[in-house]
Amino acid sequence: MAAPMSLLVEFGGGAELLFDGVKKHQVTLPCQPEPWDIRNLLKWIKQNLLKERPELFIQGDTVRPGILVLINDADWELMGELDYKLQDQDNVVFISTLHGG
Amino acid sequence: MALSEAARLRAEIGRREQELGALQGQLAAVLAREAAEELAAGPALPPLEARASLSPAEILRYSRQLVLPELGVRGQLRLSRCAVLVVGCGGLGCPLAQYLAAAGIGRLGLVDHDVVEMSNLHRQVLHGEAREGLPKALSAAATLRQLNSRVQYVPYHLALSPGTALELVRQYDVVADCSDNVPTRYLVSDACVLAGKPLVSASALRLEGQLVVYNYRGGPCYRCLFPKPPLPETVTNCADGGVLGVVPGIMGCIQALEVLKIASGIGSAFNQFMLMFDALEGRFRNIRLRPKKPDCAICGDKPTLTSLQDYEAFCGSSATDKCRTLCLLPSEQRISVEEYKKLLDEQVPHILVDVRPQVEVDICYLVHSVHIPLSKLEGKNEECLKFLEKRICEEKQRTNGKMTFPVYVICKLGNDSQKAVRVLQELSDKELGLILAKDIRGGLMAWASKIDPSFPQY
């Protein structure tokens, strides 16, 4: 049984516009039988935080192309991507890449 | 009579002078494009000569950086032998090129297909009011020449294409991606991988910036990080999203710093790191990135791409940052600004709904319009729908009340208004009474250019 977990979830690069323009979300994930990983977190975000147009954030069970996921200031690919097991007080950032100049 | 005749002639002269100015601008653009195409396709530029020492004039000029042990004479000589290709002479490219020229880089290739517009000047600081309509590559080179005439400037008034990119990139030592669209970012990155050149890439939008050095010392390329392009509808340009001029200014300066460090032999600190800048919080953040991916399509162990491809097809969008034109509605559900003007003149009862965000309505609006942002419509915001229903009822009472009531929708360019019409159609009958929703093609910008020249354009 995974204990409730406190995380700082952040959105940037325009991704925050799907979350009422709010960049920082201090969230508490409830207890659940499975350990919390990024895959579960994405589902939880879709149900609890996402305000509009989910397809601009999530595609299938992962983030849409063009969104970079950072776990404690590291590229999620270095951390196991969807399978990364979340720890209490982790910082997870979803950043939409910018193309303007 | 004599006075009005003189006034008429003056006005005529003014008009013709304006026409002449516009023609001269067009001619300059055509000549520049021809010259650039010749340059890109023609023989390679002569290599910059290796030199053993600096001249007394150079020593004086660069003395404040020469005394830095990290740079020194050796670093300065390396700068003078280095050719940098700047892709995009806009908000990033302007400050970048300015600092590279000031620092004494050997050669600057300046690529941009666009011409200077008034809405560029708040961030593209090498261009001035007098340069409106001139090719940006030429305008940038002209300003830079005044700053440092020792640097060689090679303006290319063209869009980088799969046909020209590789030859061009091969002629330079370091590439700076200062472009403004997704296809060009993939194109520049792939060309740098194939030519084996380091790529210093930055981007900016609204109040944020990002910077990565790609294809450098075992680090990733753009494709390693983004194997799949984003869907076109998820990409925002500066015209739609807005950008505070100083933000690309800051990112362009950091980009110049990393180019100078690579060119002088100091080396970039951003290998396998991404720099993120949040101007609102005043925060820089360093993100540790993945290394080069063994299965990357272009820089991996077994690349599937060995030449440049069609990047507009790959990304599903064009290689510019111009606004997209959506076509969601059949033509019978759309009217032109001319038709709308006629309907206004004939005082046909209707409601005009402006669906732009509040910040854009603050810039300008049509006085008789009802403002309901698209996001509130899409979210079926109760308060907004009640307000709209009330307004429709009021207007309907002025007619016999039996007809299907016309609701026209307007936005900036005629994209969001089409989405709004779809939402309104769903709401017709049940929530809003019987309505017939249509959108106004080309939006307020078409209104400004075709009907009311005094209406602001933005």
Side-chain angles (χ1 to χ4, degrees):
Chain A
M1 191 78 175
M5 199 181 288
S6 180
L7 300 178
L8 176 61
V9 177
E10 293 180 75
F11 303 96
E16 73 278 9
L17 299 176
L18 301 170
F19 299 85
D20 262 354
V22 180
K23 284 188 167 174
K24 289 188 180 187
H25 300 250
Q26 191 69 54
V27 307
T28 306
L29 301 177
C31 295
Q32 65 164 28
E34 303 278 301
W36 281 98
D37 56 17
I38 299 283
R39 191 179 277 108
N40 296 331
L41 176 67
L42 283 172
K43 278 185 206 151
W44 186 89
I45 288 175
K46 191 174 174 182
Q47 279 158 14
N48 295 279
L49 293 181
L50 201 53
K51 298 288 178 194
E52 49 185 310
R53 294 174 289 172
E55 72 281 6
L56 297 189
F57 187 70
I58 288 177
Q59 264 176 36
D61 68 345
T62 188
V63 290
R64 68 151 173 87
I67 289 184
L68 210 57
V69 185
L70 314 170
I71 301 164
N72 301 327
D73 280 354
D75 184 351
W76 74 332
E77 179 152 309
L78 300 169
M79 315 288 282
E81 296 196 354
L82 290 167
D83 297 322
Y84 171 77
K85 300 276 179 290
L86 288 158
Q87 312 283 316
D88 195 42
Q89 306 303 322
D90 269 351
N91 176 206
V92 184
V93 183
F94 297 90
I95 190 112
S96 180
T97 46
L98 307 174
H99 305 94
Chain B
M1 279 310 280
L3 194 68
S4 72
E5 177 72 358
R8 190 188 63 76
L9 285 170
R10 270 201 206 98
E12 183 64 19
I13 289 171
R15 197 182 58 77
R16 291 199 192 182
E17 272 173 353
Q18 232 177 8
E19 267 180 27
L20 213 58
L23 283 175
Q24 271 162 354
Q26 282 174 25
L27 176 66
V30 169
L31 289 177
R33 185 174 301 122
E34 283 175 7
E37 275 162 9
E38 211 169 290
L39 211 54
L45 297 163
L48 292 161
E49 54 173 312
R51 295 156 55 208
S53 61
L54 296 167
S55 69
E58 285 173 306
I59 289 173
L60 181 63
R61 176 164 199 141
Y62 304 118
S63 56
R64 297 301 185 268
Q65 63 192 38
L66 280 178
V67 296
L68 288 171
E70 290 82 357
L71 188 81
V73 172
R74 217 161 69 126
Q76 189 69 48
L77 284 169
R78 281 187 175 152
L79 289 186
S80 75
R81 265 207 324 267
C82 185
V84 178
L85 186 67
V86 182
V87 181
C89 301
L92 297 162
C94 283
L96 168 108
Q98 188 174 26
Y99 275 100
L100 295 185
I105 206 85
R107 180 182 287 152
L108 273 181
L110 302 160
V111 181
D112 205 305
H113 70 283
D114 221 348
V115 297
V116 178
E117 293 174 31
M118 286 312 275
S119 64
N120 299 149
L121 302 188
H122 80 121
R123 67 186 190 285
Q124 305 184 9
V125 291
L126 292 178
H127 316 303
E129 290 168 13
R131 303 270 172 78
E132 194 183 2
L134 274 180
K136 286 185 189 176
L138 295 186
S139 168
T143 307
L144 294 169
R145 235 172 247 125
Q146 291 184 322
L147 168 64
N148 192 346
S149 58
R150 290 163 197 274
V151 177
Q152 287 182 25
Y153 303 101
V154 192
Y156 302 96
H157 177 55
L158 49 75
L160 209 62
S161 71
T164 55
L166 195 51
E167 268 319 296
L168 209 55
V169 166
R170 282 207 175 108
Q171 298 180 41
Y172 289 83
D173 303 301
V174 184
V175 179
D177 186 349
C178 306
S179 70
D180 56 13
N181 64 82
V182 189
T184 304
R185 292 200 178 267
Y186 278 101
L187 166 63
V188 173
S189 176
D190 283 0
C192 284
V193 170
L194 293 178
K197 310 287 179 177
L199 171 62
V200 184
S201 176
S203 58
L205 189 70
R206 299 189 185 97
L207 292 154
E208 287 180 78
Q210 295 167 355
L211 179 137
V212 187
V213 179
Y214 293 112
N215 198 38
Y216 179 68
R217 295 188 177 165
C221 78
Y222 191 69
R223 268 185 202 271
C224 293
L225 228 50
F226 307 108
K228 279 191 211 157
L231 293 170
E233 57 267 34
T234 64
V235 177
T236 309
N237 63 13
C238 289
D240 286 342
V243 61
L244 195 66
V246 64
V247 175
I250 289 165
M251 299 314 293
C253 285
I254 301 175
Q255 210 178 354
L257 173 64
E258 294 312 306
V259 171
L260 286 174
K261 279 156 67 184
I262 293 172
S264 65
I266 296 173
S268 174
F270 280 96
N271 176 33
Q272 246 173 279
F273 272 94
M274 174 188 270
L275 179 74
M276 298 189 337
F277 173 52
D278 185 325
L280 218 48
E281 287 187 39
R283 183 157 78 139
F284 287 98
R285 205 169 178 156
N286 250 323
I287 304 301
R288 199 154 50 88
L289 290 178
R290 65 197 73 175
K292 181 179 154 104
K293 288 184 77 166
D295 61 345
C296 174
I298 190 127
C299 79
D301 298 338
K302 287 180 194 143
T304 50
L305 288 170
T306 49
S307 62
L308 299 176
Q309 58 174 129
D310 181 344
Y311 294 87
E312 295 191 328
F314 175 60
C315 300
S317 57
S318 76
T320 73
D321 76 333
K322 304 297 175 218
C323 298
R324 295 185 308 141
T325 309
L326 295 180
C327 204
L328 303 173
L329 299 176
S331 59
E332 64 271 17
Q333 288 173 16
R334 314 195 68 188
I335 67 168
S336 66
V337 284
E338 290 87 355
E339 286 166 306
Y340 183 69
K341 173 73 167 53
K342 188 158 168 275
L343 196 139
L344 265 190
D345 291 342
E346 290 168 0
Q347 298 186 316
V348 176
H350 73 282
I351 291 260
L352 177 68
V353 183
D354 184 335
V355 293
R356 293 172 303 150
Q358 182 65 47
V359 70
E360 293 185 37
V361 175
D362 291 343
I363 299 171
C364 56
Y365 59 93
L366 291 173
V367 284
H368 61 281
S369 61
V370 177
H371 176 222
I372 298 178
L374 178 64
S375 58
K376 300 260 170 156
L377 264 186
E378 284 179 332
K380 316 251 155 74
N381 180 287
E382 231 170 276
E383 205 179 315
C384 287
L385 292 185
K386 272 203 180 124
F387 172 66
L388 182 59
E389 191 194 0
K390 188 168 145 264
R391 289 299 307 269
I392 291 173
C393 274
E394 284 167 10
E395 285 298 312
K396 245 186 180 174
Q397 274 162 12
R398 296 169 52 185
T399 67
N400 60 17
K402 280 180 194 155
M403 59 188 274
T404 303
F405 195 74
V407 173
Y408 295 99
V409 184
I410 200 159
C411 64
K412 183 186 178 188
L413 292 165
N415 290 333
D416 281 354
S417 54
Q418 297 182 68
K419 296 180 190 163
V421 164
R422 284 191 166 172
V423 179
L424 287 171
Q425 282 165 342
E426 282 173 39
L427 298 172
S428 175
D429 205 7
K430 260 182 271 163
E431 272 105 331
L432 299 171
L434 222 46
I435 59 165
L436 180 62
K438 290 188 183 186
D439 98 301
I440 300 178
R441 226 184 274 123
L444 288 164
M445 295 306 98
W447 181 263
S449 64
K450 291 178 182 161
I451 307 292
D452 179 5
S454 72
F455 195 85
Q457 301 207 32
Y458 65 94

